[in-house]
Every structure is written in structure tokens, then in C-alpha cells.
């Protein structure tokens, strides 16, 4: 049973560029959440998608946007990249109405130069 | 509002000795609490969870945690550390909402070092 798959694993972007990160949830899961983990910090919630809609959003600017597709996979888009956007971006999937917990992917390491 | 405070940024123990990682939480309502572990260049792995059942929660790899409402604590323990336990540990609280799991609030993490 495949877990959460994220792509790419690493990428380097220039300040001002745009980036798209992708996530395939664990089989059977229908909810996807995105987290940003800066170096030496705990992950911070960006937003959550369920039924192709953004259900909750953390304290992140509108430069951060997302999408969920009918097959439950998701994309995270970041526009006008800043140096401070350099971080590990984690995708977590879960099944709505189940309280067991999230399954996390290994993340995408984004470096903005 | 939900938040967690991990009281130690670094903990060092010798192999075979007990492990104690401390966590205090703040929650507006009955919380769901978790401990996750993160090994280098790996994703987060769930160790255990508390969701208002038994206050002593047993997890994987011999870890357990005790929910103490009066102390708002959820400390993680293991009787005997193993070299493979060296990793970053995160205490997490969730604002579970109805039909979705809700967002997770992470502590800053505790780096566990295990000496041979």
C-alpha cells in the first residue's frame, strides 16, 4: 500500500519565480494538508483540501495557493518566491471523519536563491 | 487556541537508559494529542495518539505517553533507549473539527541524541 508521494524531492528556484509542488495521498485517503517546515522549526500549517475545496488556511499570504483534483491528489503553488520560502514542504493525507492521524510524505526541499 | 510547548530542545541519553521528552499543551477544548518522530531526510512518522480514551497511551517502538489534564502535559517516555531512537520528536495538538481531522499544531521539536 503506497504511502504519501511527493514530487519533486528537491528543487532550487530563484527569488521571484513561481513553483508547483505535487502530492499523491495514501490510497483510500481523501483529505490533503500542506505544511511548511523551516530549518530547525516545527511544521506550520498552510492549508487543507477536502472535496476539491480549501477547508482551512493557516497564516500564510495569498502567494501560497493550492488545488485538489478529483483523484484526491493536490498541488501547492507559491508565487513571487522569497528567500524566506526556503523550507521543507510536507504533504499529509487523511480520511475525513477518521481521527487516527495523518500520514506524511517525505517532503519537498525547496531552496530559493 | 491550540499550542504545544516542548520543554527541551535537546535531550541526550545513553543507550539502555530511560528517555523522557516533555510536552505541555494548551487547548480551548478536549484535545487530540500526538507524538511524531522525524528521522533525517525522512517524513514524519506517528508514534502514538491520545483522543480521550485511556490516559496512558502506548505507541510503536516501545514508546508511551501519559495524558495529564490537571498538568496539561503529554510527556513521551521509553524505558530503554536504542541507538535507532536518535531523531527529532514533535509533540502535536489537533483542533479536530467535525467531519475533517483539523489542523495540527506542532511544537518546536526535541532532538534526541543516544550515546553508545
Amino acid at each position: 500500500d503506497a504511502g504519501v508521494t511527493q514530487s519533486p524531492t528537491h528543487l532550487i528556484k530563484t527569488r521571484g519565480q513561481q513553483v508547483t509542488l505535487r502530492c499523491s495521498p495514501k490510497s483510500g485517503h481523501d483529505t490533503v494538508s500542506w505544511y511548511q517546515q523551516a530549518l530547525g522549526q516545527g511544521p506550520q500549517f498552510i492549508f487543507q483540501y477536502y472535496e476539491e475545496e480549501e477547508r482551512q488556511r493557516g497564516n500564510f499570504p495569498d502567494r501560497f495557493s493550492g488545488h485538489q483534483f478529483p483523484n484526491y491528489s493536490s498541488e501547492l503553488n507559491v508565487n513571487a518566491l522569497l528567500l524566506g520560502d526556503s523550507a521543507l514542504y510536507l504533504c499529509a493525507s487523511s480520511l475525513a471523519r477518521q481521527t487516527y492521524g495523518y500520514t506524511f510524505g517525505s517532503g519537498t526541499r525547496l531552496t530559493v536563491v | 487556541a491550540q499550542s504545544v510547548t516542548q520543554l527541551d530542545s535537546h535531550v541526550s541519553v545513553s543507550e539502555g537508559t530511560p528517555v523522557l521528552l516533555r510536552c505541555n499543551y494548551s487547548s480551548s477544548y478536549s484535545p487530540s494529542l500526538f507524538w511524531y518522530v522525524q528521522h533525517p531526510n525522512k517524513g514524519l512518522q506517528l508514534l502514538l495518539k491520545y483522543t480521550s480514551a485511556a490516559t496512558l497511551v502506548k505507541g510503536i517502538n516501545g514508546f508511551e505517553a501519559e495524558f495529564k489534564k490537571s498538568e496539561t502535559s503529554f510527556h513521551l517516555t521509553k524505558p530503554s533507549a536504542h541507538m535507532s531512537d536518535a531523531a527529532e520528536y514533535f509533540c502535536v495538538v489537533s483542533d479536530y473539527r467535525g467531519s475533517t481531522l483539523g489542523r495540527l499544531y506542532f511544537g518546536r521539536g526535541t532532538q534526541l541524541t543516544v550515546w553508545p
Side-chain angles (χ1 to χ4, degrees), chain B residues 37-91:
Chain B
V37 61
Q38 186 176 38
H39 288 91
N41 301 316
K42 297 287 182 65
L44 293 157
Q45 181 183 21
L46 179 66
L47 280 178
L48 50 80
K49 66 156 187 170
Y50 166 79
T51 55
S52 74
T55 57
L56 183 61
V57 181
K58 294 188 182 299
I60 62 172
N61 301 334
F63 284 94
E64 63 181 36
E66 186 172 7
F67 174 72
K68 293 186 176 181
K69 185 176 181 178
S70 62
E71 299 176 10
T72 61
S73 69
F74 190 58
H75 300 335
L76 182 70
T77 61
K78 182 174 181 178
S80 176
H82 190 272
M83 295 294 291
S84 61
D85 294 329
E88 187 87 21
Y89 290 79
F90 293 97
C91 182

Side-chain angles (χ1 to χ4, degrees), chain A residues 23-65:
Chain A
C23 173
S24 294
K26 181 179 179 178
S27 177
H29 284 183
D30 57 9
T31 302
V32 173
S33 301
W34 288 91
Y35 289 80
Q36 181 196 65
Q37 185 178 16
L39 198 62
Q41 304 292 320
Q44 299 289 316
F45 176 77
I46 303 175
F47 42 53
Q48 181 184 70
Y49 278 85
Y50 172 63
E51 294 185 331
E52 302 180 47
E53 291 187 9
E54 183 182 292
R55 297 291 176 164
Q56 295 188 68
R57 187 178 184 92
N59 188 26
F60 280 81
D62 292 343
R63 298 187 297 110
F64 290 77
S65 63

Side-chain angles (χ1 to χ4, degrees), chain A residues 2-23:
Chain A
V4 176
T5 304
Q6 292 187 242
S7 63
T9 55
H10 297 81
L11 75 165
I12 300 174
K13 289 288 189 178
T14 302
R15 192 170 43 183
Q17 285 188 315
Q18 179 266 344
V19 68
T20 297
L21 310 181
R22 295 177 175 82
C23 173

Side-chain angles (χ1 to χ4, degrees), chain A residues 4 18 32 36 55-56 69 76 80 88 90 96 100 102 106 110:
Chain A
V4 176
Q18 179 266 344
V32 173
Q36 181 196 65
R55 297 291 176 164
Q56 295 188 68
F69 299 94
L76 164 65
L88 179 67
L90 295 165
Y100 192 78
Y102 291 106
S106 297
L110 171 64

